[in-house]
Amino acid sequence: NAGVMQNPRHLVRRRGQEARLRCSPMKGHSHVYWYRQLPEEGLKFMVYLQKENIIDESGMPKERFSAEFPKEGPSILRIQQVVRGDSAAYFCASSPSLAGDQETQYFGPGTRLLVL
Amino acid sequence: AQTVTQSQPEMSVQEAETVTLSCTYDTSESDYYLFWYKQPPSRQMILVIRQEAYKQQNATENRFSVNFQKAAKSFSLKISDSQLGDAAMYFCAYRSLWQNTDKLIFGTGTRLQVFP
Protein backbone atom coordinates (compact mmCIF):
# COMPACT_ATOMS: atom_id res chain seq x y z
CA ASN A 1 0.00 0.00 0.00
CA ALA A 2 1.71 3.14 -1.22
CA GLY A 3 1.96 6.00 1.22
CA VAL A 4 0.91 9.59 0.70
CA MET A 5 2.49 10.91 -2.47
CA GLN A 6 3.45 14.51 -3.04
CA ASN A 7 4.93 16.14 -6.09
CA PRO A 8 7.02 17.86 -6.90
CA ARG A 9 9.41 17.28 -4.01
CA HIS A 10 11.19 20.54 -4.74
CA LEU A 11 9.79 23.56 -6.51
CA VAL A 12 11.54 26.81 -7.36
CA ARG A 13 9.51 29.83 -8.40
CA ARG A 14 10.24 33.48 -9.00
CA ARG A 15 8.23 36.14 -7.25
CA GLY A 16 4.87 36.62 -8.94
CA GLN A 17 4.66 33.13 -10.45
CA GLU A 18 2.16 30.45 -9.49
CA ALA A 19 2.98 27.32 -7.50
CA ARG A 20 0.88 24.17 -7.76
CA LEU A 21 1.48 21.42 -5.24
CA ARG A 22 -0.08 18.00 -5.64
CA CYS A 23 -1.01 15.37 -3.10
CA SER A 24 -2.32 11.85 -3.67
CA PRO A 25 -3.66 10.35 -0.43
CA MET A 26 -3.13 6.80 0.63
CA LYS A 27 -5.40 4.29 -1.05
CA GLY A 28 -8.79 4.26 0.64
CA HIS A 29 -8.27 7.62 2.35
CA SER A 30 -10.77 10.35 1.59
CA HIS A 31 -9.58 13.03 4.03
CA VAL A 32 -6.70 15.33 3.06
CA TYR A 33 -4.93 17.96 5.14
CA TRP A 34 -2.34 20.55 4.16
CA TYR A 35 0.24 21.92 6.58
CA ARG A 36 3.03 24.46 6.17
CA GLN A 37 6.39 24.33 7.93
CA LEU A 38 8.50 27.44 7.94
CA PRO A 39 12.25 26.96 8.58
CA GLU A 40 13.01 25.92 12.16
CA GLU A 41 9.32 25.89 13.09
CA GLY A 42 6.59 23.33 13.68
CA LEU A 43 3.85 22.48 11.23
CA LYS A 44 0.90 24.84 10.94
CA PHE A 45 -2.48 23.64 9.73
CA MET A 46 -3.78 25.23 6.54
CA VAL A 47 -6.80 23.36 5.22
CA TYR A 48 -8.80 20.15 5.58
CA LEU A 49 -10.66 18.69 2.61
CA GLN A 50 -12.81 15.74 1.79
CA LYS A 51 -13.70 14.78 -1.76
CA GLU A 52 -15.10 17.89 -3.47
CA ASN A 53 -15.54 19.70 -0.15
CA ILE A 54 -13.50 22.09 1.94
CA ILE A 55 -14.24 21.24 5.56
CA ASP A 56 -11.95 23.64 7.41
CA GLU A 57 -9.83 26.37 5.82
CA SER A 58 -9.21 28.35 8.97
CA GLY A 59 -5.43 28.19 8.50
CA MET A 60 -5.36 29.35 4.90
CA PRO A 61 -4.24 32.89 4.11
CA LYS A 62 -7.20 34.83 2.76
CA GLU A 63 -5.51 35.81 -0.48
CA ARG A 64 -3.47 33.98 -3.11
CA PHE A 65 -3.95 30.51 -1.56
CA SER A 66 -6.53 27.97 -2.63
CA ALA A 67 -7.01 24.23 -2.32
CA GLU A 68 -9.16 21.61 -3.94
CA PHE A 69 -9.71 17.88 -3.76
CA PRO A 70 -11.69 16.84 -6.82
CA LYS A 71 -13.71 13.68 -7.22
CA GLU A 72 -10.98 12.27 -9.44
CA GLY A 73 -7.30 13.02 -9.13
CA PRO A 74 -5.00 14.46 -6.50
CA SER A 75 -5.56 17.32 -4.10
CA ILE A 76 -4.03 20.58 -5.29
CA LEU A 77 -2.69 23.44 -3.20
CA ARG A 78 -2.30 26.50 -5.37
CA ILE A 79 -0.37 29.62 -4.47
CA GLN A 80 -0.77 32.53 -6.83
CA GLN A 81 1.70 35.40 -7.20
CA VAL A 82 4.20 33.82 -4.81
CA VAL A 83 6.32 35.99 -2.52
CA ARG A 84 9.55 35.14 -0.70
CA GLY A 85 7.62 34.57 2.53
CA ASP A 86 5.86 31.62 0.89
CA SER A 87 9.14 29.68 0.92
CA ALA A 88 8.49 26.72 3.17
CA ALA A 89 7.89 23.00 3.26
CA TYR A 90 4.29 22.07 2.49
CA PHE A 91 3.10 18.77 3.85
CA CYS A 92 0.04 16.83 2.90
CA ALA A 93 -1.51 14.23 5.18
CA SER A 94 -4.40 11.84 4.72
CA SER A 95 -6.62 9.78 6.98
CA PRO A 96 -9.15 7.01 6.43
CA SER A 97 -12.86 7.59 6.27
CA LEU A 98 -13.56 4.66 8.56
CA ALA A 99 -14.23 5.40 12.18
CA GLY A 100 -11.57 4.17 14.57
CA ASP A 101 -8.44 5.04 12.66
CA GLN A 102 -9.69 8.37 11.37
CA GLU A 103 -7.76 10.09 14.10
CA THR A 104 -4.34 9.22 12.70
CA GLN A 105 -2.97 11.32 9.89
CA TYR A 106 -0.29 9.87 7.63
CA PHE A 107 2.06 12.37 6.08
CA GLY A 108 3.64 12.65 2.68
CA PRO A 109 7.31 13.57 2.16
CA GLY A 110 6.51 17.24 1.63
CA THR A 111 7.17 19.77 -1.13
CA ARG A 112 9.94 22.29 -0.54
CA LEU A 113 9.00 25.56 -2.17
CA LEU A 114 11.70 28.13 -2.73
CA VAL A 115 10.72 31.56 -4.00
CA LEU A 116 13.55 33.55 -5.54
CA ALA B 1 -7.93 27.81 21.46
CA GLN B 2 -5.72 24.85 22.12
CA THR B 3 -1.95 25.23 22.33
CA VAL B 4 0.93 22.78 22.50
CA THR B 5 4.23 23.66 24.15
CA GLN B 6 7.56 21.88 23.86
CA SER B 7 9.95 23.65 26.18
CA GLN B 8 13.10 21.77 25.18
CA PRO B 9 14.46 23.01 21.84
CA GLU B 10 17.28 20.46 21.97
CA MET B 11 18.07 17.28 23.88
CA SER B 12 20.90 14.80 23.66
CA VAL B 13 21.33 11.21 24.79
CA GLN B 14 23.99 8.55 24.73
CA GLU B 15 23.31 5.50 22.61
CA ALA B 16 21.50 2.77 24.62
CA GLU B 17 20.42 5.27 27.28
CA THR B 18 16.94 6.61 28.00
CA VAL B 19 15.69 10.09 27.25
CA THR B 20 12.41 11.87 27.97
CA LEU B 21 10.98 14.64 25.82
CA SER B 22 8.46 17.00 27.40
CA CYS B 23 5.17 18.27 26.03
CA THR B 24 2.41 20.25 27.70
CA TYR B 25 -0.82 21.44 26.20
CA ASP B 26 -3.69 23.69 27.03
CA THR B 27 -7.31 22.80 26.36
CA SER B 28 -10.72 23.08 27.94
CA GLU B 29 -11.88 19.86 26.29
CA SER B 30 -12.09 16.56 28.10
CA ASP B 31 -11.67 14.24 25.14
CA TYR B 32 -8.95 14.56 22.53
CA TYR B 33 -6.00 12.75 20.96
CA LEU B 34 -2.31 13.33 21.44
CA PHE B 35 0.48 12.29 19.10
CA TRP B 36 4.22 12.25 18.84
CA TYR B 37 5.69 12.56 15.35
CA LYS B 38 9.32 12.13 14.37
CA GLN B 39 10.93 14.16 11.58
CA PRO B 40 14.38 12.82 10.58
CA PRO B 41 16.72 14.78 8.30
CA SER B 42 14.74 13.52 5.32
CA ARG B 43 11.93 15.79 6.67
CA GLN B 44 9.37 12.97 6.36
CA MET B 45 6.85 13.10 9.23
CA ILE B 46 6.58 9.69 10.88
CA LEU B 47 3.99 8.78 13.50
CA VAL B 48 5.69 7.48 16.64
CA ILE B 49 2.85 6.99 19.09
CA ARG B 50 -0.69 8.12 19.82
CA GLN B 51 -2.77 8.43 22.97
CA GLU B 52 -6.51 8.79 23.44
CA ALA B 53 -7.30 11.08 26.37
CA TYR B 54 -10.12 8.84 27.62
CA LYS B 55 -7.66 5.99 28.13
CA GLN B 56 -5.85 6.02 31.44
CA GLN B 57 -3.27 3.50 30.33
CA ASN B 58 -0.15 5.02 28.81
CA ALA B 59 0.50 4.09 25.18
CA THR B 60 3.58 2.01 24.33
CA GLU B 61 5.21 1.16 21.01
CA ASN B 62 8.32 -0.96 21.39
CA ARG B 63 11.04 1.36 22.79
CA PHE B 64 8.71 4.37 22.82
CA SER B 65 6.28 5.06 25.64
CA VAL B 66 4.40 8.05 26.95
CA ASN B 67 3.67 9.45 30.38
CA PHE B 68 0.21 10.94 30.01
CA GLN B 69 -0.85 13.09 32.95
CA LYS B 70 -4.29 14.40 32.04
CA ALA B 71 -4.80 16.62 35.07
CA ALA B 72 -1.42 18.25 34.55
CA LYS B 73 -1.98 18.37 30.75
CA SER B 74 1.38 16.76 30.22
CA PHE B 75 2.34 14.22 27.55
CA SER B 76 6.01 13.27 27.65
CA LEU B 77 7.73 10.77 25.37
CA LYS B 78 10.25 8.30 26.74
CA ILE B 79 12.70 6.65 24.37
CA SER B 80 14.44 3.63 25.87
CA ASP B 81 17.64 2.03 24.57
CA SER B 82 18.25 5.00 22.28
CA GLN B 83 19.64 4.26 18.84
CA LEU B 84 21.51 6.47 16.38
CA GLY B 85 18.49 6.31 14.09
CA ASP B 86 16.38 8.01 16.73
CA ALA B 87 18.15 11.31 16.03
CA ALA B 88 15.48 13.63 14.64
CA MET B 89 13.09 16.44 15.41
CA TYR B 90 10.20 15.27 17.56
CA PHE B 91 6.86 17.05 17.45
CA CYS B 92 4.02 16.71 19.91
CA ALA B 93 0.54 17.26 18.45
CA TYR B 94 -3.03 17.66 19.70
CA ARG B 95 -6.28 16.85 17.95
CA SER B 96 -9.72 17.74 19.21
CA LEU B 97 -12.32 14.99 19.34
CA TRP B 98 -15.37 17.19 19.27
CA GLN B 99 -14.71 20.08 16.99
CA ASN B 100 -15.77 19.73 13.38
CA THR B 101 -12.19 19.63 12.21
CA ASP B 102 -9.47 17.03 12.25
CA LYS B 103 -6.59 19.48 12.27
CA LEU B 104 -3.49 18.75 14.28
CA ILE B 105 -1.97 21.45 16.46
CA PHE B 106 1.77 21.02 16.71
CA GLY B 107 4.38 22.14 19.18
CA THR B 108 7.59 23.78 18.02
CA GLY B 109 9.58 20.58 18.27
CA THR B 110 12.57 19.14 20.14
CA ARG B 111 15.74 18.26 18.28
CA LEU B 112 17.16 15.00 19.65
CA GLN B 113 20.82 14.17 19.16
CA VAL B 114 22.08 10.66 19.85
CA PHE B 115 25.77 10.21 20.59
CA PRO B 116 27.59 6.88 20.11
Side-chain angles (χ1 to χ4, degrees), chain A:
Chain A
N1 188 8
V4 178
M5 310 282 284
Q6 288 188 250
N7 67 81
R9 296 290 305 274
H10 299 273
L11 182 61
V12 180
R13 285 287 179 267
R14 297 192 180 278
R15 281 179 296 168
Q17 291 184 321
E18 178 180 286
R20 291 170 68 89
L21 287 62
R22 294 175 183 77
C23 169
S24 296
M26 287 178 70
K27 187 176 181 181
H29 288 195
S30 59
H31 301 245
V32 165
Y33 316 82
W34 286 94
Y35 294 84
R36 177 164 65 175
Q37 185 179 32
L38 295 171
E40 305 302 321
E41 293 188 12
L43 279 71
K44 294 287 195 312
F45 168 79
M46 298 182 74
V47 62
Y48 162 37
L49 310 103
Q50 295 178 18
K51 285 284 187 181
E52 300 185 281
N53 284 305
I54 297 175
I55 306 301
D56 179 1
E57 56 182 347
S58 59
M60 285 276 273
K62 293 289 184 277
E63 297 179 351
R64 302 187 299 107
F65 286 72
S66 63
E68 62 176 7
F69 188 18
K71 187 176 180 181
E72 301 290 338
S75 175
I76 306 285
L77 178 68
R78 180 201 283 185
I79 312 172
Q80 296 178 300
Q81 299 176 330
V82 296
V83 301
R84 289 214 173 107
D86 297 333
S87 296
Y90 291 83
F91 288 92
C92 170
S94 72
S95 68
S97 54
L98 296 174
D101 201 27
Q102 189 175 343
E103 304 81 18
T104 299
Q105 296 181 18
Y106 299 89
F107 282 80
T111 293
R112 276 90 185 151
L113 172 65
L114 175 63
V115 180
L116 300 177

Side-chain angles (χ1 to χ4, degrees), chain B residues 24-72:
Chain B
T24 58
Y25 56 94
D26 188 27
T27 184
S28 58
E29 299 175 338
S30 59
D31 289 319
Y32 44 85
Y33 300 95
L34 296 165
F35 303 84
W36 277 98
Y37 280 89
K38 169 185 177 181
Q39 188 178 45
S42 67
R43 305 290 298 273
Q44 173 81 49
M45 293 289 288
I46 302 166
L47 177 68
V48 175
I49 201 165
R50 113 182 181 184
Q51 174 83 42
E52 292 87 348
Y54 59 85
K55 290 186 178 178
Q56 291 188 345
Q57 187 172 6
N58 289 325
T60 299
E61 286 288 339
N62 300 314
R63 298 183 294 107
F64 298 86
S65 61
V66 299
N67 183 6
F68 174 47
Q69 301 288 328
K70 191 173 183 179

Side-chain angles (χ1 to χ4, degrees), chain B:
Chain B
Q2 295 84 12
T3 58
V4 177
T5 301
Q6 293 180 252
S7 58
Q8 305 157 316
E10 290 191 4
M11 291 284 284
S12 60
V13 64
Q14 205 86 27
E15 201 174 4
E17 297 294 310
T18 296
V19 65
T20 298
L21 308 184
S22 301
C23 173
T24 58
Y25 56 94
D26 188 27
T27 184
S28 58
E29 299 175 338
S30 59
D31 289 319
Y32 44 85
Y33 300 95
L34 296 165
F35 303 84
W36 277 98
Y37 280 89
K38 169 185 177 181
Q39 188 178 45
S42 67
R43 305 290 298 273
Q44 173 81 49
M45 293 289 288
I46 302 166
L47 177 68
V48 175
I49 201 165
R50 113 182 181 184
Q51 174 83 42
E52 292 87 348
Y54 59 85
K55 290 186 178 178
Q56 291 188 345
Q57 187 172 6
N58 289 325
T60 299
E61 286 288 339
N62 300 314
R63 298 183 294 107
F64 298 86
S65 61
V66 299
N67 183 6
F68 174 47
Q69 301 288 328
K70 191 173 183 179
K73 296 179 184 174
S74 171
F75 183 60
S76 60
L77 175 70
K78 185 170 86 170
I79 306 174
S80 304
D81 186 24
S82 297
Q83 300 175 359
L84 295 177
D86 294 334
M89 283 290 289
Y90 285 82
F91 292 97
C92 178
Y94 171 102
R95 179 189 171 268
S96 170
L97 181 62
W98 299 114
Q99 292 182 18
N100 188 27
T101 177
D102 288 345
K103 69 181 180 185
L104 292 171
I105 300 169
F106 284 89
T108 51
T110 296
R111 184 178 304 279
L112 177 67
Q113 292 182 306
V114 181
F115 294 103

